[in-house]
Amino acid sequence: MNPFQKNESKETLFSPVSIEDVPPRPPSPPKKPSPKICGSNYPLSIAFIVVNEFCERFSYYGMKAVLILYFLYFLHWNEDTSTSIYHAFSSLCYFTPILGAAIADSWLGKFKVLSLVGLSLIALGTGGIKPCVAAFGGDQFEEKHAEERTRYFSVFYLSINAGSLISTFITPMLRGDVQCFGEDCYALAFGVPGLLMVIALAVFAMGSKIYNKPPPEGNIVAQVFKCIWFAISNRFKNRSGDIPKRQHWLDWAAEKYPKQLIMDVKALTRVLFLYIPLPMFWALLDQQGSRWTLQAIRMNGNLGFFVLQPDQMQVLNPLLVLIFIPLFDFVIYRLVSKCGINFSSLRKMAVGMILACLAFAVAAAVEIKINEMTPAQPGPQEVFLQVLNLADDDVKVTVVGNENNSLLIESIKSFQKTPRYSKLHLKTKSQNFHFHLKYHNLSLYTEHSVQEKNWYSLVIREDGNSISSMMVKDTESKTINGMTTVRFVNTLHKDVNISLSKDTSLNVGEDYGVSAYRTVQRGEYPAVHCRTEDKNFSLNLGLLDFGAAYLFVITNNTNEGLQAWKTEDIPANKMSIAWQLPQYALVTAGEVMFSVTGLEFSYSQAPSSMKSVLQAAWLLTIAVGNIIVLVVAQFSGLVQWAEFILFSCLLLVICLIFSIMGYYYVPVKTEDMQGPGDKQIPHIQGNMINLETKKTKL
């Protein structure tokens, strides 16, 4: 019979009967104990669950590690759009667990959702896996092993971050160190995580026979919503003052729903109320893969002993988690306990929020310092101009007009880079400029058109016994995306083909042909292969560093042969990526105190019939947090350091609200959530009576 069906059974009463009248109960078959790990109280089945979670998280975080750069460099989206799509995807992954929880609790059960739905379809499978896997692991423990179950959640979180650690380190290497079709190999970077999902399915299926598989208990999600709706509507219908009040607003559902369900929903709503402020923490935490990675691409990844790619910096988070979890569990929490401080779960979570606030304050300080080292951008009715003198003697350049004086006080020497870009003011959005060039005894005038907010190079070249000039528009994004870029000017009378790598080459036209900018990996380039129609040669480009934009002029020196004259359009990133370490350490410590504690807290406070529902609700807070980032990225219009400060202040306010809510929250004990069927009925020996449960009708 459906336990939630409207029927005449109101409650269970006890009536005395003689012991002789009670037929003897058949003995319950002894429950076969599940196999344990090396004689401990840990079920062997959790080993398969933990390994499965490691592989699944390797796949998920490995793909996310390169996702923001895939949007930025491969799809050529801007930073705000890349950030928005990144967090929209993350949000979708954490919204689908609601659907997964409903299917798990009402239809297939946690085991089948994990193996069939979750691991078959990665996109929707995230929703099948996330609400079930943690709760499914908790189901493997007996109630008498509650301490081991608590420790399991730490081990479970360790497996998540072990998979994340390895994948966030290896996947960017697969992307950057391997070339596919002349570009970064995103196909391989996404393919390897896909393979790990296949391994996850195989490992999880291997433990099928030893899992403790609690059967599904009906469509509990629908029952929860129906119970809440009935209680609200029934209270609204009976709002007369003559009707006695009830202790709790959910008690108004007693006319239709069993008492145990109402008790479970009460426990559920109490925890869900605490979840309201939580999304703001996830809004900060999940920006490691978006805003913090975009910050890293404008920093120098050369650590001396190792060179880090911007998306590899995320490896710090899982690495520090693996260090911090045992540090907090075995050292910090025990020291706090010995000091007599009641460091409850909710207090740990509040401290985790404060640490995340501090992390974003540090991130804002780093962002301000980066901006101080970054060249200024041309504003409205402004352009930046540099002069490249490729002639064989000095040239004096003057802009004709009253508003713009001489670009340089002194003449520009042959193959001398202008010390800096010069700012020219325009009267309109686009304007023609007249330049006066003085070379030897020649005085020449030339005209070029420019548009506002752009960078330009005025290239002066030999033209027989005279000189001529050409205006070259520089790339607009070279100071934004932080990648190393190069371009070439060919002074030879023949086209030149340049092979920058095995799969990357470009052609530069003859007689001062100018190539487009080409993105390359940071590193030394001592011998770049080049060829003309009748000759092969090599050019030494030297070190191409993070964030720099280089111009190489290919010349034929009579004494030294073919050479590449090197100049920096934009200097390399100066601030070391190591300055991100403090913010990663703070936010990871906050994550350990907030997320690990929250996982265990959600399981311990969930009624037995609703553990997957509450786990899904916990994950839903992550989805809402990603939506917050999406909205702020699209509509705030703030500079990056101000956006970091905004998030930090918002979380600080939320932390205060959460602390007040947690102060009045009374944790539910396990025995308080057991239904009547879970409690043993006492049997009294001798001629005393015992108690027999009996259904009574209204």
Side-chain angles (χ1 to χ4, degrees), residues 454-530:
N454 286 314
W455 305 66
Y456 292 93
S457 294
L458 180 64
V459 180
I460 302 172
R461 60 177 184 168
E462 294 182 14
D463 191 0
N465 295 326
S466 182
I467 59 173
S468 62
S469 65
M470 59 181 181
M471 186 71 76
V472 178
K473 183 180 179 181
D474 297 344
T475 181
E476 298 175 359
S477 61
K478 62 187 177 185
T479 61
I480 298 176
N481 61 27
M483 292 292 288
T484 305
T485 56
V486 296
R487 64 173 176 170
F488 294 85
V489 176
N490 178 22
T491 66
L492 307 181
H493 300 299
K494 298 178 180 178
D495 293 353
V496 177
N497 180 271
I498 303 171
S499 299
L500 294 171
S501 65
K502 181 179 179 182
D503 300 316
T504 306
S505 63
L506 62 123
N507 288 307
V508 190
E510 63 183 8
D511 295 328
Y512 294 91
V514 181
S515 73
Y517 277 94
R518 182 60 62 94
T519 300
V520 296
Q521 291 294 322
R522 184 263 183 200
E524 293 279 353
Y525 290 79
V528 173
H529 179 72
C530 306

Coordinates of all heavy atoms in Angstrom, one line a residue, residues 454-530:
N454 N 43.0 52.6 -30.9 CA 43.8 51.6 -31.6 C 45.3 51.9 -31.4 O 45.7 53.0 -31.1 CB 43.5 51.5 -33.1 CG 42.1 50.8 -33.3 OD1 41.9 49.7 -32.8 ND2 41.3 51.4 -34.2
W455 N 46.1 50.9 -31.7 CA 47.5 51.0 -31.6 C 48.0 50.9 -33.1 O 47.6 50.1 -33.9 CB 48.1 49.8 -30.8 CG 47.6 49.7 -29.4 CD1 46.4 49.3 -29.0 CD2 48.4 49.8 -28.2 NE1 46.3 49.2 -27.7 CE2 47.5 49.5 -27.1 CE3 49.7 50.2 -28.0 CZ2 47.9 49.6 -25.8 CZ3 50.1 50.2 -26.6 CH2 49.2 49.9 -25.6
Y456 N 49.0 51.8 -33.4 CA 49.6 51.8 -34.7 C 51.1 51.9 -34.7 O 51.7 52.4 -33.7 CB 49.1 53.0 -35.5 CG 47.6 53.0 -35.8 CD1 46.6 53.5 -35.0 CD2 47.1 52.3 -37.0 CE1 45.3 53.5 -35.3 CE2 45.8 52.3 -37.3 CZ 44.9 52.9 -36.4 OH 43.5 52.8 -36.7
S457 N 51.7 51.3 -35.8 CA 53.1 51.4 -36.0 C 53.3 52.1 -37.3 O 52.8 51.7 -38.4 CB 53.8 50.1 -36.0 OG 53.7 49.5 -34.7
L458 N 54.1 53.3 -37.3 CA 54.5 54.0 -38.5 C 55.9 53.4 -39.0 O 56.9 53.7 -38.3 CB 54.6 55.5 -38.3 CG 54.9 56.3 -39.5 CD1 53.9 56.2 -40.6 CD2 55.2 57.8 -39.1
V459 N 55.9 52.6 -40.0 CA 57.1 52.0 -40.5 C 57.7 52.8 -41.6 O 57.1 53.1 -42.6 CB 56.8 50.6 -41.0 CG1 58.1 49.9 -41.5 CG2 56.1 49.7 -39.9
I460 N 58.9 53.3 -41.4 CA 59.7 54.0 -42.4 C 60.7 53.1 -43.0 O 61.5 52.5 -42.3 CB 60.4 55.3 -41.7 CG1 59.3 56.1 -41.0 CG2 61.1 56.1 -42.7 CD1 59.9 57.2 -40.2
R461 N 60.7 53.1 -44.3 CA 61.6 52.2 -45.0 C 62.3 52.9 -46.2 O 61.9 54.0 -46.6 CB 60.8 51.0 -45.6 CG 59.7 51.5 -46.6 CD 58.9 50.3 -47.2 NE 58.0 50.7 -48.2 CZ 57.4 49.9 -49.0 NH1 57.6 48.6 -48.9 NH2 56.5 50.4 -49.9
E462 N 63.4 52.2 -46.6 CA 64.1 52.8 -47.8 C 63.3 52.6 -49.1 O 62.6 51.6 -49.2 CB 65.4 52.1 -47.9 CG 66.4 52.3 -46.8 CD 67.7 51.6 -47.0 OE1 68.0 51.2 -48.2 OE2 68.5 51.5 -46.1
D463 N 63.4 53.6 -50.0 CA 62.7 53.5 -51.3 C 63.7 54.1 -52.3 O 63.6 55.3 -52.7 CB 61.4 54.3 -51.2 CG 60.6 54.0 -52.4 OD1 61.0 53.3 -53.3 OD2 59.5 54.6 -52.5
G464 N 64.6 53.3 -52.7 CA 65.7 53.8 -53.6 C 66.6 54.7 -52.8 O 67.1 54.4 -51.8
N465 N 66.8 55.9 -53.3 CA 67.6 56.9 -52.6 C 66.7 57.7 -51.6 O 67.3 58.6 -51.0 CB 68.2 57.9 -53.6 CG 69.3 57.2 -54.5 OD1 69.9 56.2 -54.0 ND2 69.4 57.6 -55.8
S466 N 65.5 57.5 -51.6 CA 64.6 58.2 -50.7 C 64.0 57.2 -49.7 O 64.5 56.1 -49.5 CB 63.5 58.9 -51.5 OG 62.6 59.6 -50.7
I467 N 62.9 57.7 -49.0 CA 62.2 56.8 -48.0 C 60.8 57.0 -48.3 O 60.3 57.9 -48.9 CB 62.6 57.3 -46.6 CG1 62.2 58.7 -46.3 CG2 64.0 57.0 -46.2 CD1 62.3 59.2 -44.9
S468 N 60.0 56.0 -47.7 CA 58.6 56.0 -47.8 C 58.1 55.5 -46.4 O 58.8 55.0 -45.6 CB 58.0 55.2 -48.9 OG 58.4 53.8 -48.8
S469 N 56.8 55.5 -46.2 CA 56.2 55.1 -44.9 C 54.9 54.3 -45.1 O 54.3 54.5 -46.1 CB 56.0 56.3 -44.0 OG 55.0 57.1 -44.5
M470 N 54.6 53.5 -44.2 CA 53.3 52.8 -44.2 C 52.8 52.7 -42.7 O 53.6 52.5 -41.8 CB 53.5 51.4 -44.8 CG 54.4 50.5 -44.2 SD 54.5 48.9 -45.0 CE 55.7 48.0 -44.0
M471 N 51.5 52.7 -42.6 CA 50.9 52.7 -41.3 C 50.3 51.3 -41.1 O 49.6 50.8 -41.9 CB 49.8 53.7 -41.1 CG 49.2 53.8 -39.7 SD 50.3 54.6 -38.6 CE 50.1 56.3 -39.0
V472 N 50.8 50.6 -40.0 CA 50.4 49.2 -39.7 C 49.6 49.3 -38.4 O 50.0 49.8 -37.4 CB 51.6 48.3 -39.5 CG1 51.1 46.9 -39.2 CG2 52.4 48.3 -40.8
K473 N 48.4 48.7 -38.4 CA 47.5 48.6 -37.3 C 48.0 47.4 -36.4 O 48.1 46.3 -36.9 CB 46.1 48.5 -37.7 CG 45.1 48.4 -36.5 CD 43.7 48.3 -37.0 CE 42.7 48.2 -35.8 NZ 41.3 48.1 -36.2
D474 N 48.2 47.7 -35.1 CA 48.7 46.6 -34.2 C 47.4 45.9 -33.7 O 46.3 46.4 -33.8 CB 49.5 47.2 -33.1 CG 50.7 47.9 -33.5 OD1 51.2 47.6 -34.7 OD2 51.3 48.6 -32.7
T475 N 47.7 44.7 -33.2 CA 46.6 43.9 -32.7 C 45.9 44.5 -31.5 O 46.6 45.2 -30.7 CB 47.0 42.4 -32.3 OG1 45.9 41.7 -31.8 CG2 48.1 42.5 -31.2
E476 N 44.6 44.4 -31.4 CA 43.9 45.1 -30.3 C 43.9 44.3 -29.0 O 43.8 44.9 -27.9 CB 42.4 45.3 -30.7 CG 42.3 46.2 -32.0 CD 40.8 46.2 -32.4 OE1 40.0 45.6 -31.8 OE2 40.5 46.9 -33.4
S477 N 44.2 43.0 -29.0 CA 44.0 42.2 -27.8 C 45.4 41.8 -27.3 O 45.4 41.0 -26.3 CB 43.2 41.0 -28.2 OG 43.9 40.2 -29.2
K478 N 46.5 42.3 -27.8 CA 47.8 41.8 -27.4 C 48.1 42.1 -25.9 O 48.9 41.5 -25.2 CB 48.9 42.4 -28.2 CG 49.0 43.9 -28.2 CD 50.0 44.3 -29.2 CE 50.1 45.8 -29.3 NZ 51.0 46.3 -30.3
T479 N 47.5 43.2 -25.3 CA 47.7 43.5 -23.9 C 46.6 43.0 -23.0 O 46.7 43.2 -21.8 CB 47.8 45.0 -23.7 OG1 46.6 45.6 -24.1 CG2 48.9 45.6 -24.5
I480 N 45.6 42.3 -23.6 CA 44.5 41.8 -22.8 C 44.6 40.3 -22.5 O 44.5 39.9 -21.3 CB 43.2 42.1 -23.5 CG1 43.0 43.6 -23.7 CG2 42.0 41.6 -22.8 CD1 41.8 44.0 -24.5
N481 N 44.9 39.5 -23.5 CA 44.7 38.1 -23.3 C 46.0 37.4 -22.7 O 46.0 36.3 -22.3 CB 44.3 37.3 -24.6 CG 45.4 37.5 -25.7 OD1 46.5 37.7 -25.4 ND2 44.9 37.4 -26.9
G482 N 47.1 38.2 -22.6 CA 48.3 37.7 -21.9 C 49.1 36.6 -22.6 O 50.0 36.1 -22.1
M483 N 48.7 36.3 -23.9 CA 49.5 35.3 -24.6 C 50.7 35.9 -25.3 O 50.8 37.2 -25.5 CB 48.6 34.7 -25.7 CG 47.5 33.8 -25.1 SD 48.1 32.3 -24.3 CE 48.6 31.4 -25.8
T484 N 51.7 35.1 -25.6 CA 52.8 35.6 -26.3 C 52.5 35.6 -27.8 O 52.1 34.6 -28.4 CB 54.0 34.6 -26.1 OG1 54.2 34.5 -24.7 CG2 55.3 35.1 -26.7
T485 N 52.7 36.8 -28.4 CA 52.4 36.9 -29.9 C 53.6 37.5 -30.6 O 54.5 38.2 -30.0 CB 51.2 37.9 -30.1 OG1 51.5 39.1 -29.5 CG2 50.0 37.3 -29.5
V486 N 53.7 37.1 -31.9 CA 54.8 37.6 -32.7 C 54.3 38.0 -34.1 O 53.2 37.5 -34.5 CB 55.9 36.5 -32.9 CG1 56.6 36.2 -31.6 CG2 55.3 35.2 -33.6
R487 N 55.0 38.9 -34.8 CA 54.7 39.2 -36.1 C 56.0 39.6 -36.8 O 57.0 39.9 -36.2 CB 53.7 40.4 -36.3 CG 54.2 41.7 -35.7 CD 53.2 42.8 -36.1 NE 53.6 44.0 -35.4 CZ 53.1 45.2 -35.7 NH1 52.1 45.3 -36.6 NH2 53.5 46.3 -35.1
F488 N 56.1 39.6 -38.2 CA 57.3 39.7 -38.9 C 57.1 40.8 -40.0 O 56.0 40.9 -40.6 CB 57.7 38.4 -39.5 CG 58.1 37.3 -38.6 CD1 57.1 36.5 -38.0 CD2 59.4 37.1 -38.2 CE1 57.4 35.5 -37.1 CE2 59.7 36.1 -37.3 CZ 58.7 35.3 -36.7
V489 N 58.2 41.5 -40.2 CA 58.4 42.4 -41.4 C 59.5 41.9 -42.3 O 60.6 41.7 -41.8 CB 58.6 43.8 -41.0 CG1 58.9 44.7 -42.2 CG2 57.5 44.4 -40.1
N490 N 59.2 41.6 -43.5 CA 60.2 41.0 -44.4 C 60.7 42.1 -45.4 O 60.1 42.6 -46.3 CB 59.5 39.9 -45.3 CG 60.4 39.3 -46.3 OD1 61.7 39.3 -46.1 ND2 59.9 38.6 -47.3
T491 N 62.0 42.4 -45.2 CA 62.7 43.4 -46.0 C 63.3 42.8 -47.3 O 63.8 43.5 -48.1 CB 63.8 44.2 -45.2 OG1 64.8 43.3 -44.9 CG2 63.2 44.8 -44.0
L492 N 63.3 41.5 -47.4 CA 63.9 40.8 -48.5 C 63.0 41.0 -49.8 O 61.8 41.4 -49.7 CB 64.1 39.3 -48.2 CG 64.8 39.0 -46.9 CD1 64.9 37.5 -46.8 CD2 66.2 39.6 -46.9
H493 N 63.6 40.7 -50.9 CA 62.9 40.8 -52.2 C 62.2 39.5 -52.6 O 61.8 39.3 -53.7 CB 63.8 41.2 -53.3 CG 64.5 42.6 -53.0 ND1 63.7 43.7 -52.9 CD2 65.8 42.9 -52.9 CE1 64.6 44.7 -52.7 NE2 65.8 44.2 -52.7
K494 N 62.1 38.6 -51.6 CA 61.4 37.3 -51.9 C 60.5 36.9 -50.7 O 60.8 37.3 -49.5 CB 62.4 36.2 -52.1 CG 63.4 36.4 -53.3 CD 64.4 35.2 -53.4 CE 65.3 35.5 -54.6 NZ 66.3 34.4 -54.7
D495 N 59.4 36.2 -50.9 CA 58.6 35.8 -49.9 C 59.3 34.8 -48.9 O 60.2 34.1 -49.4 CB 57.3 35.0 -50.4 CG 56.4 36.0 -51.2 OD1 56.7 37.2 -51.2 OD2 55.5 35.5 -51.8
V496 N 59.0 34.9 -47.7 CA 59.6 34.0 -46.7 C 58.6 33.2 -46.0 O 57.5 33.7 -45.5 CB 60.4 34.8 -45.6 CG1 61.0 33.9 -44.6 CG2 61.5 35.7 -46.3
N497 N 58.8 31.9 -45.9 CA 58.0 31.0 -45.1 C 58.7 30.7 -43.8 O 59.8 30.2 -43.7 CB 57.7 29.7 -45.8 CG 56.8 28.7 -45.0 OD1 57.3 27.9 -44.3 ND2 55.5 28.9 -45.2
I498 N 58.0 30.9 -42.6 CA 58.5 30.8 -41.3 C 57.8 29.7 -40.6 O 56.6 29.7 -40.4 CB 58.5 32.1 -40.5 CG1 59.1 33.2 -41.3 CG2 59.1 32.0 -39.1 CD1 58.9 34.6 -40.7
S499 N 58.5 28.7 -40.1 CA 58.0 27.6 -39.3 C 58.2 27.8 -37.8 O 59.3 27.6 -37.3 CB 58.6 26.2 -39.7 OG 58.3 26.0 -41.1
L500 N 57.2 28.3 -37.1 CA 57.3 28.5 -35.7 C 57.3 27.3 -34.8 O 57.8 27.2 -33.7 CB 56.2 29.5 -35.2 CG 56.3 30.9 -35.8 CD1 55.1 31.7 -35.5 CD2 57.5 31.6 -35.3
S501 N 56.7 26.2 -35.3 CA 56.6 25.0 -34.7 C 56.4 23.9 -35.7 O 56.3 24.2 -36.9 CB 55.6 24.9 -33.6 OG 54.3 25.0 -34.1
K502 N 56.2 22.7 -35.3 CA 56.0 21.6 -36.2 C 54.7 21.8 -37.0 O 54.7 21.5 -38.2 CB 55.9 20.2 -35.4 CG 55.7 19.0 -36.3 CD 55.6 17.8 -35.5 CE 55.4 16.5 -36.3 NZ 55.3 15.3 -35.5
D503 N 53.7 22.3 -36.5 CA 52.4 22.5 -37.2 C 52.0 23.9 -37.4 O 50.9 24.2 -37.8 CB 51.3 21.8 -36.4 CG 51.6 20.3 -36.2 OD1 52.0 19.7 -37.2 OD2 51.3 19.8 -35.1
T504 N 52.9 24.9 -37.0 CA 52.6 26.3 -37.2 C 53.6 27.0 -38.1 O 54.8 27.0 -37.8 CB 52.6 27.0 -35.8 OG1 51.7 26.3 -34.9 CG2 52.1 28.4 -35.9
S505 N 53.1 27.6 -39.2 CA 53.9 28.3 -40.1 C 53.2 29.5 -40.6 O 51.9 29.5 -40.6 CB 54.4 27.4 -41.2 OG 53.3 26.9 -42.0
L506 N 53.9 30.4 -41.2 CA 53.2 31.6 -41.8 C 54.1 32.1 -42.9 O 55.3 31.9 -42.9 CB 53.0 32.7 -40.8 CG 54.2 33.3 -40.1 CD1 54.2 34.8 -40.3 CD2 54.2 33.0 -38.6
N507 N 53.5 32.8 -43.9 CA 54.2 33.4 -45.0 C 54.2 34.9 -44.9 O 53.2 35.5 -44.5 CB 53.5 33.0 -46.3 CG 53.7 31.6 -46.7 OD1 54.9 31.1 -46.7 ND2 52.7 30.8 -47.0
V508 N 55.3 35.5 -45.2 CA 55.5 37.0 -45.1 C 55.9 37.4 -46.5 O 56.9 36.9 -47.1 CB 56.6 37.4 -44.1 CG1 56.5 38.9 -43.9 CG2 56.3 36.7 -42.8
G509 N 55.1 38.4 -47.1 CA 55.3 38.8 -48.4 C 56.6 39.6 -48.6 O 57.2 40.1 -47.6
E510 N 57.1 39.7 -49.8 CA 58.3 40.4 -50.1 C 58.2 41.9 -50.0 O 57.1 42.4 -49.9 CB 58.8 40.0 -51.6 CG 57.8 40.5 -52.6 CD 58.1 40.1 -54.0 OE1 59.1 39.3 -54.2 OE2 57.4 40.6 -54.9
D511 N 59.4 42.5 -50.0 CA 59.5 44.0 -50.0 C 58.6 44.6 -48.9 O 57.6 45.3 -49.2 CB 59.1 44.5 -51.4 CG 60.1 44.1 -52.4 OD1 61.3 44.0 -52.1 OD2 59.7 43.9 -53.6
Y512 N 59.0 44.4 -47.7 CA 58.4 45.0 -46.5 C 56.9 44.5 -46.3 O 56.1 45.2 -45.8 CB 58.4 46.5 -46.5 CG 59.8 47.0 -46.5 CD1 60.6 47.3 -47.6 CD2 60.4 47.3 -45.2 CE1 61.9 47.7 -47.6 CE2 61.7 47.8 -45.2 CZ 62.4 48.0 -46.3 OH 63.7 48.4 -46.2
G513 N 56.7 43.2 -46.6 CA 55.4 42.6 -46.2 C 55.4 42.4 -44.7 O 56.4 42.2 -44.1
V514 N 54.2 42.6 -44.2 CA 54.0 42.5 -42.7 C 53.0 41.4 -42.4 O 51.9 41.4 -43.0 CB 53.4 43.9 -42.2 CG1 53.2 43.8 -40.6 CG2 54.3 45.0 -42.5
S515 N 53.4 40.5 -41.6 CA 52.5 39.4 -41.2 C 51.5 39.8 -40.2 O 51.7 40.8 -39.5 CB 53.3 38.2 -40.8 OG 53.8 38.4 -39.5
A516 N 50.5 39.0 -40.0 CA 49.6 39.2 -38.9 C 50.2 38.6 -37.6 O 51.2 37.9 -37.6 CB 48.3 38.4 -39.1
Y517 N 49.7 39.0 -36.5 CA 50.2 38.4 -35.2 C 49.9 37.0 -35.1 O 48.8 36.5 -35.5 CB 49.6 39.2 -34.0 CG 50.2 40.5 -33.6 CD1 49.7 41.7 -34.1 CD2 51.3 40.5 -32.8 CE1 50.3 42.9 -33.8 CE2 51.9 41.7 -32.5 CZ 51.4 42.9 -33.0 OH 52.0 44.1 -32.7
R518 N 50.8 36.2 -34.6 CA 50.6 34.8 -34.4 C 50.9 34.4 -32.9 O 52.0 34.8 -32.4 CB 51.5 34.0 -35.4 CG 51.3 32.5 -35.3 CD 49.9 32.0 -35.6 NE 49.5 32.4 -37.0 CZ 49.7 31.6 -38.0 NH1 50.1 30.4 -37.8 NH2 49.3 32.0 -39.2
T519 N 50.0 33.7 -32.3 CA 50.2 33.3 -30.9 C 51.2 32.1 -30.9 O 51.0 31.1 -31.6 CB 48.9 32.9 -30.3 OG1 48.0 34.0 -30.3 CG2 49.0 32.5 -28.9
V520 N 52.1 32.1 -29.9 CA 53.1 31.1 -29.7 C 53.2 30.7 -28.3 O 52.8 31.5 -27.4 CB 54.5 31.4 -30.3 CG1 54.4 31.6 -31.8 CG2 55.0 32.7 -29.6
Q521 N 53.8 29.6 -28.0 CA 54.0 29.2 -26.6 C 55.2 30.0 -26.1 O 56.2 30.3 -26.8 CB 54.3 27.7 -26.5 CG 53.1 26.8 -26.8 CD 52.0 27.0 -25.7 OE1 52.3 27.1 -24.5 NE2 50.7 27.0 -26.1
R522 N 55.2 30.2 -24.8 CA 56.3 30.9 -24.1 C 57.5 29.9 -24.1 O 57.4 28.8 -23.9 CB 56.0 31.3 -22.7 CG 57.0 32.0 -22.0 CD 57.9 31.2 -21.1 NE 58.8 31.9 -20.3 CZ 59.9 31.4 -19.8 NH1 60.2 30.1 -19.9 NH2 60.8 32.2 -19.1
G523 N 58.7 30.5 -24.4 CA 59.9 29.6 -24.4 C 61.0 30.2 -25.3 O 60.9 31.3 -25.9
E524 N 62.1 29.5 -25.4 CA 63.3 29.8 -26.2 C 63.1 29.3 -27.6 O 62.7 28.2 -27.8 CB 64.6 29.2 -25.6 CG 64.9 29.8 -24.2 CD 65.7 31.2 -24.3 OE1 66.0 31.5 -25.5 OE2 65.9 31.8 -23.3
Y525 N 63.4 30.2 -28.6 CA 63.4 29.9 -30.0 C 64.7 30.2 -30.6 O 64.9 31.2 -31.3 CB 62.2 30.6 -30.7 CG 60.9 30.2 -30.2 CD1 60.3 30.6 -29.0 CD2 60.1 29.4 -31.1 CE1 59.0 30.2 -28.7 CE2 58.8 29.0 -30.7 CZ 58.3 29.4 -29.5 OH 57.0 29.0 -29.1
P526 N 65.7 29.3 -30.4 CA 67.1 29.6 -30.9 C 67.3 29.4 -32.4 O 68.2 30.0 -33.0 CB 68.0 28.7 -30.1 CG 67.1 27.5 -29.8 CD 65.7 28.1 -29.6
A527 N 66.5 28.5 -33.0 CA 66.7 28.2 -34.4 C 65.3 28.0 -35.1 O 64.9 26.8 -35.2 CB 67.6 27.1 -34.6
V528 N 64.7 29.0 -35.6 CA 63.4 28.9 -36.2 C 63.7 28.7 -37.7 O 64.4 29.5 -38.4 CB 62.5 30.2 -36.0 CG1 61.3 30.1 -36.8 CG2 62.2 30.3 -34.5
H529 N 63.2 27.7 -38.3 CA 63.4 27.3 -39.7 C 62.6 28.3 -40.6 O 61.4 28.5 -40.4 CB 63.0 25.9 -40.0 CG 63.3 25.5 -41.4 ND1 64.5 25.3 -42.0 CD2 62.4 25.3 -42.4 CE1 64.4 25.0 -43.2 NE2 63.1 24.9 -43.5
C530 N 63.4 28.8 -41.6 CA 62.8 29.7 -42.6 C 63.2 29.3 -44.0 O 64.3 28.7 -44.1 CB 63.1 31.2 -42.4 SG 62.8 31.8 -40.7

